[in-house]
């Protein structure tokens, strides 16, 4: 485990910290090397900067692809590339110096970066070979999410195990979980954008391709791929190609698992609610900005806030292990599906197969039961 240095000298200012680090600490070392507190904070704040670039780039990228044909040099991709570049430099620094990382967290960072760097060219090749691949659920996209998830998991594990306690420890851990949640539920954006894309094409219930958010060139390209004119079937295949049971199972089922584990680590009594709320707030802020820039809007997953609330309410009951597990699964699924139903009726939500609720209940309970060793690890520092 990496050790935090007891040194009390605090180097202030990012430029000064950058210079001081390379002047005094650029020395070859193994993972777990004793690390001053300011170096931990400097490293992780830089990681947050990289993840913010990734977050902004991916948010714009998804909206971009519901309007324009794919472009490798599109501005959202360039923003993502900045974040990736920072991540590469940071992993190299952790690897060389062994600072601000444990052995396990460093392995996760290295593995995640390797998966991401393999996935990126594979995604480009996939688009070259198969043409338009808008769906967020493709194998090459899944590898990008997996690589990012491994890197964020490494950051969470390292900060949780050895990051400096005190002011900012909980805030940093919570922020990392927000990024992890966003990366996990990001594929659901396919349906969240697609639902409003379909609505834009059907003003007054009549198919009008010229009213779609997507440009005509994109609609024609997507229709040609399946050998159809730009009709209802072609637009639906472009906007909503994913079965309706996927959205709730992933958003509520998998989202609940992430929030349960996050709450176990952060330990704030309302941790799951705050993490889900921070993500939902970001989504609620970013879509008007995109719309103001003339990009398509998306449905916002407000129901996730209620999934987090359900988890925290069960935690406050302080049940024993198995009853808590069952109560958490039941509450998260019941309240999550109810909130999604109300959102569908009152605002907007993707097509949802409501019969999937019992499957989500069993799945959350079974996976969390199987993951009890992970739960026990995060029950103590």
């Amino acid at each position: 485990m990496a050790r935090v240095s007891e040194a009390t000298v605090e180097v202030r200012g990012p430029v000064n910290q950058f210079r001081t680090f390379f002047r005094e600490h650029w020395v070859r070392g193994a993972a777990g090397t004793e690390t001053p507190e300011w170096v931990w904070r400097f490293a992780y704040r830089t990681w947050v900067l990289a993840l913010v670039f990734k977050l902004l780039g991916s948010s714009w990228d998804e909206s971009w692809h519901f309007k324009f044909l794919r472009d490798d040099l599109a501005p959202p991709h360039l923003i993502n590339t900045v974040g990736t570049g920072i991540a590469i430099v940071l992993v190299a620094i952790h690897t060389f110096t062994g600072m601000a990382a444990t052995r396990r967290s460093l392995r996760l960072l290295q593995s995640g970066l390797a998966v991401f760097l393999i996935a990126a060219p594979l995604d480009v090749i996939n688009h070259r070979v198969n043409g338009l691949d808008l769906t967020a659920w493709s194998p090459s996209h899944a590898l990008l999410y997996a690589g990012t998830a491994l890197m964020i998991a490494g950051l969470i594990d390292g900060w949780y195990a050895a990051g400096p306690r005190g002011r900012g420890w909980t805030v940093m851990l919570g922020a990392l979980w927000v990024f992890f949640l966003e990366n996990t539920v990001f594929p659901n954006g396919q349906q969240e954008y697609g639902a409003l894309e379909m609505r834009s094409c059907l003003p007054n219930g009549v198919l009008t391709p010229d009213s779609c958010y997507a440009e005509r060139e994109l609609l024609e390209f997507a229709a040609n791929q399946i050998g159809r004119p730009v009709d209802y079937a072609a637009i639906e295949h472009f906007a909503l190609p994913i079965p309706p049971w996927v959205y709730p199972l992933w958003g509520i089922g998998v989202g609940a698992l992430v929030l349960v584990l996050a709450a176990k680590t952060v330990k704030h009594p309302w941790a799951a609610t705050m993490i889900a709320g921070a993500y939902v707030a970001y989504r609620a802020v970013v879509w008007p900005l995109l719309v103001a820039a003339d990009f398509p809007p998306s449905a916002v997953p407000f129901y996730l806030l209620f999934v987090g609330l359900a988890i925290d309410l069960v935690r406050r009951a302080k049940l024993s292990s198995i009853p808590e597990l069952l109560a958490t699964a039941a509450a998260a699924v019941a309240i999550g599906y109810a909130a999604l139903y109300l959102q569908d009726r009152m605002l907007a939500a993707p097509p949802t197969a409501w019969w999937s609720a019992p499957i989500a209940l069993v799945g959350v309970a079974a996976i969390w039961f199987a993951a009890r060793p992970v739960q026990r690890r995060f029950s103590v520092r």
Side-chain angles (χ1 to χ4, degrees):
M1 178 181 293
R3 294 181 298 168
V4 178
S5 171
E6 299 297 328
T8 58
V9 176
E10 184 76 14
V11 180
R12 299 186 180 277
V15 175
N16 195 27
Q17 288 175 337
F18 181 85
R19 292 173 177 170
T20 303
F21 175 79
F22 282 98
R23 184 176 64 248
E24 298 182 3
H25 300 290
W26 187 247
V27 179
R28 180 71 176 174
T33 296
E34 188 173 6
T35 306
E37 290 189 9
W38 72 264
V39 174
W40 272 99
R41 294 192 178 98
F42 179 54
Y44 269 72
R45 287 167 183 165
T46 309
W47 267 110
V48 167
L49 178 64
L51 292 171
V52 166
F53 275 110
K54 176 263 176 193
L55 177 65
L56 294 175
S58 61
S59 297
W60 190 8
D61 185 57
E62 201 161 26
S63 183
W64 179 284
H65 290 322
F66 273 92
K67 182 173 183 177
F68 300 119
L69 271 172
R70 190 177 192 278
D71 181 1
D72 292 338
L73 297 179
H77 295 179
L78 299 179
I79 293 174
N80 257 326
T81 301
V82 173
T84 302
I86 297 173
I88 292 171
V89 171
L90 286 167
V91 173
I93 291 172
H94 288 302
T95 301
F96 182 78
T97 66
M99 301 184 79
T102 64
R103 283 188 289 273
R104 179 167 55 193
S105 69
L106 182 56
R107 286 196 297 268
L108 286 169
L109 287 170
Q110 292 166 335
S111 300
L113 182 61
V115 171
F116 190 93
L117 293 180
I118 291 170
L122 286 179
D123 187 49
V124 174
I125 293 171
N126 175 49
H127 287 285
R128 289 284 183 268
V129 173
N130 297 318
L132 182 65
D133 179 20
L134 181 63
T135 176
W137 295 92
S138 69
S140 59
H141 292 159
L143 283 174
L144 292 172
Y145 312 144
T148 303
L150 284 170
M151 284 189 281
I152 301 175
L155 294 171
I156 290 170
D157 191 58
W159 186 260
Y160 183 85
R165 289 281 186 166
R167 180 174 54 87
W169 185 86
T170 300
V171 174
M172 176 60 71
L173 189 60
L176 292 173
W177 275 115
V178 173
F179 286 119
F180 192 92
L181 176 66
E182 184 277 334
N183 181 71
T184 301
V185 299
F186 179 83
N188 266 357
Q190 167 74 47
Q191 294 95 302
E192 289 162 356
Y193 276 96
L196 297 191
E197 181 74 46
M198 284 299 299
R199 182 182 293 185
S200 74
C201 298
L202 295 164
N204 303 315
V206 179
L207 181 66
T208 310
D210 289 340
S211 73
C212 293
Y213 293 130
E215 292 191 338
R216 184 76 184 195
E217 180 188 21
L218 175 55
L219 295 176
E220 290 176 351
F221 187 92
N224 289 336
Q225 282 199 305
I226 59 173
R228 296 188 65 90
V230 180
D231 56 10
Y232 184 91
I235 294 176
E236 184 178 47
H237 181 79
F238 153 69
L240 291 170
I242 309 301
W245 56 266
V246 173
Y247 185 78
L249 285 182
W250 194 261
I252 296 173
V254 178
L257 290 169
V258 172
L259 290 171
V260 168
L261 188 54
K264 290 290 182 182
T265 64
V266 176
K267 293 183 172 59
H268 188 282
W270 299 104
T273 305
M274 291 191 298
I275 290 167
Y279 168 67
V280 171
Y282 166 75
R283 289 288 305 276
V285 168
V286 77
W287 81 258
L289 297 177
L290 289 169
V291 170
D294 198 28
F295 284 93
S298 69
V300 177
F302 293 107
Y303 66 88
L304 266 177
L305 178 62
F306 296 92
V307 174
L309 180 62
I311 291 167
D312 285 334
L313 289 174
V314 172
R315 290 174 64 229
R316 293 180 70 84
K318 300 187 183 301
L319 304 174
S320 57
S321 178
I322 299 302
E324 182 185 43
L325 183 155
L326 296 175
T328 298
V333 170
I335 295 177
Y337 270 80
L340 179 56
Y341 179 83
L342 290 176
Q343 178 175 331
D344 182 51
R345 293 295 181 268
M346 298 172 64
L347 298 171
T352 298
W354 303 107
W355 53 259
S356 63
I359 299 174
L361 173 61
V362 173
V364 170
I367 294 173
W368 189 237
F369 182 82
R372 282 188 299 168
V374 177
Q375 175 185 350
R376 285 194 293 271
R377 160 168 168 69
F378 286 115
S379 294
V380 294
R381 190 181 180 201

